Amino acid sequence: MELPAIFAIIPVGLLFLMSGLIINLIQVELHTDSETFHLMGKEHALLICNHRSDIDWLIGWVLAQRAGCLGCTMAIMKDVLKYLPVIGWSMWFSEYIFIKRRWDVDQSTLTSGCENLKDFPVPFWLALFVEGTRFTQSKLLDAQQHARSKGLDVPKHVLLPRTKGLVLAVKHMRSFIPAIYDITLAIAKDEVPPSMLTIFKGKSSVVKVHIKRHLMHDLPETSDDIAQWCKNMFVAKDAFLENYFSGGNFGNKEIQDIGLPKQSLIVMIVWSCLLSVGTFAFFLWTRLFSTWQGIIISAAFLLLVIVTMQVLILFSRSEPSIDSVPVKTPQKDSTRENLLIT
């Protein structure tokens, strides 16, 4: 009964091929100065970014691949994410730093993770989402309510930053990381926010990325001042996004040509073909699809993996932040204008 095997295996091979092609349809528009652009991938950097969508990690991978440091890109992530099939496992093997949202435990985890990078032999990127969670409308409303109750600047397009992790990272890595990349992500106007679901539906998205480079030795020395610097940066980031969404430009940095992912596309196509042929040969050898029972077992296993991944993704969206309460920032009416990113 060879015919069912053909009909089962061909869609699997096409899935690998088409998913890779669709992911390559994501367009990243990079806005930064020439000096920063030429240094990307050539120096250690701590990346501080707003968390706009489910696939911000994918946008980061795209930028890292174009900068030539994809294999040395890491992030500080929620511990539950390392259990995600394939994606989470790859992050685990790549030595991402996973935290449990308990500062008494995470403090030592972050300290050891940062110290382990001191002798890293090649340029690396370490990403930290200081908002602590993905941006959603409900989370924004909570952040706005908290900001009003504490007399803070009320955000419109970002969440309130949680600064404990950043303060610790800066203190432990100041001596060997030369720069912090202040990254602002925004979905192009009238675009549907990208997600894994929209990608597999074949809907392309244009993501705008603005990068401002800060020298590490220019940052304040004390913990409170570092925390305040981060809060000021997010006030500026919110003002920047407000200007853009109100009809302004996406900053005044020039658009850099990051090129087309020709090399990665070729690798993906070759790998997908080899994987499809290998899978086909494996099933012919095991005759797993020679019976309807084998087909049902294989389909059930695939469904279990898909359901497990979806549950973990949904669960990870609502986890609390590493800080329980943001520190109060003095309110100044002119802060947004003075700190507007240029």
Side-chain angles (χ1 to χ4, degrees), residues 18-19 21-23 25-26 195-205:
M18 292 307 297
S19 61
L21 289 173
I22 290 170
I23 288 175
L25 290 177
I26 295 179
S195 67
M196 293 303 296
L197 183 60
T198 60
I199 288 176
F200 283 110
K201 284 183 176 180
K203 296 180 179 178
S204 62
S205 297

Side-chain angles (χ1 to χ4, degrees), residues 109-146:
T109 301
L110 287 170
T111 299
S112 60
C114 293
E115 290 296 326
N116 289 339
L117 294 173
K118 181 177 295 184
D119 298 320
F120 209 82
V122 294
F124 68 83
W125 286 357
L126 178 64
L128 173 60
F129 294 97
V130 295
E131 291 165 298
T133 186
R134 182 178 59 88
F135 181 94
T136 65
Q137 193 61 33
S138 61
K139 293 170 186 174
L140 174 62
L141 293 175
D142 290 340
Q144 290 175 333
Q145 181 179 4
H146 184 86

Side-chain angles (χ1 to χ4, degrees), residues 207-223:
V207 180
K208 291 178 173 289
V209 180
H210 182 282
I211 300 180
K212 183 177 182 180
R213 181 173 177 266
H214 300 272
L215 294 176
M216 186 69 83
H217 63 70
D218 288 341
L219 265 65
E221 294 291 337
T222 68
S223 297

Side-chain angles (χ1 to χ4, degrees), residues 2-39:
E2 300 297 332
L3 192 58
I6 295 175
F7 281 108
I9 294 170
I10 288 179
V12 175
L14 289 176
L15 174 62
F16 278 99
L17 179 61
M18 292 307 297
S19 61
L21 289 173
I22 290 170
I23 288 175
N24 277 274
L25 290 177
I26 295 179
Q27 300 179 43
V28 177
E29 186 179 285
L30 177 60
H31 297 248
T32 191
D33 59 87
S34 298
E35 180 183 2
T36 299
F37 180 65
H38 290 298
L39 286 171

Side-chain angles (χ1 to χ4, degrees), residues 51-310:
H51 200 351
R52 291 295 302 184
S53 72
D54 295 340
I55 60 167
D56 289 342
W57 54 271
L58 180 58
I59 305 304
W61 283 1
V62 170
L63 286 175
Q65 188 273 332
R66 309 296 172 82
C69 62
L70 178 58
C72 306
T73 297
M74 296 157 282
I76 300 173
M77 308 282 285
K78 292 185 274 276
D79 186 72
V80 68
L81 295 178
K82 69 183 179 184
Y83 300 109
L84 287 174
V86 182
I87 296 175
W89 302 340
S90 69
M91 293 176 178
W92 196 356
F93 294 144
S94 298
E95 299 185 88
Y96 281 47
I97 301 174
F98 293 96
I99 56 177
K100 296 181 179 295
R101 304 301 189 180
R102 291 174 46 201
W103 185 244
D104 57 330
V105 175
D106 294 334
Q107 186 172 9
S108 60
T109 301
L110 287 170
T111 299
S112 60
C114 293
E115 290 296 326
N116 289 339
L117 294 173
K118 181 177 295 184
D119 298 320
F120 209 82
V122 294
F124 68 83
W125 286 357
L126 178 64
L128 173 60
F129 294 97
V130 295
E131 291 165 298
T133 186
R134 182 178 59 88
F135 181 94
T136 65
Q137 193 61 33
S138 61
K139 293 170 186 174
L140 174 62
L141 293 175
D142 290 340
Q144 290 175 333
Q145 181 179 4
H146 184 86
R148 292 189 186 98
S149 69
K150 298 296 182 178
L152 308 176
D153 290 277
V154 179
K156 294 183 179 180
H157 307 286
V158 298
L159 304 180
L160 299 176
R162 275 59 171 157
T163 58
K164 281 184 180 178
L166 174 64
V167 170
L168 186 148
V170 169
K171 282 184 170 294
H172 283 277
M173 298 192 293
R174 186 193 294 270
S175 63
F176 60 92
I177 288 187
I180 289 180
Y181 292 175
D182 171 14
I183 301 178
T184 304
L185 297 179
I187 310 304
K189 297 173 184 176
D190 302 323
E191 288 274 351
V192 177
S195 67
M196 293 303 296
L197 183 60
T198 60
I199 288 176
F200 283 110
K201 284 183 176 180
K203 296 180 179 178
S204 62
S205 297
V206 177
V207 180
K208 291 178 173 289
V209 180
H210 182 282
I211 300 180
K212 183 177 182 180
R213 181 173 177 266
H214 300 272
L215 294 176
M216 186 69 83
H217 63 70
D218 288 341
L219 265 65
E221 294 291 337
T222 68
S223 297
D224 288 343
D225 287 341
I226 295 171
Q228 187 61 55
W229 176 85
C230 178
K231 296 183 180 84
N232 290 343
M233 182 175 68
F234 266 76
V235 171
K237 195 182 297 289
D238 192 52
F240 177 89
L241 290 171
E242 172 64 16
N243 177 70
Y244 170 63
F245 289 122
S246 298
N249 296 324
F250 195 68
N252 58 3
K253 305 283 187 186
E254 58 185 305
I255 300 178
Q256 303 293 340
D257 182 11
I258 60 176
L260 296 175
K262 296 178 182 179
Q263 183 178 358
S264 60
L265 182 60
I266 293 172
V267 171
M268 180 276 302
I269 292 175
V270 172
W271 173 247
S272 298
C273 292
L274 291 174
L275 186 60
S276 298
V277 171
T279 303
F280 182 79
F282 171 78
F283 281 119
L284 288 181
W285 176 65
T286 59
R287 296 184 178 276
L288 186 62
F289 282 170
S290 62
T291 65
W292 287 111
Q293 291 86 346
I295 295 174
I296 292 173
I297 292 173
S298 301
F301 176 75
L302 179 61
L303 180 62
L304 177 63
V305 172
I306 294 173
V307 170
T308 301
M309 189 169 182
Q310 182 64 20

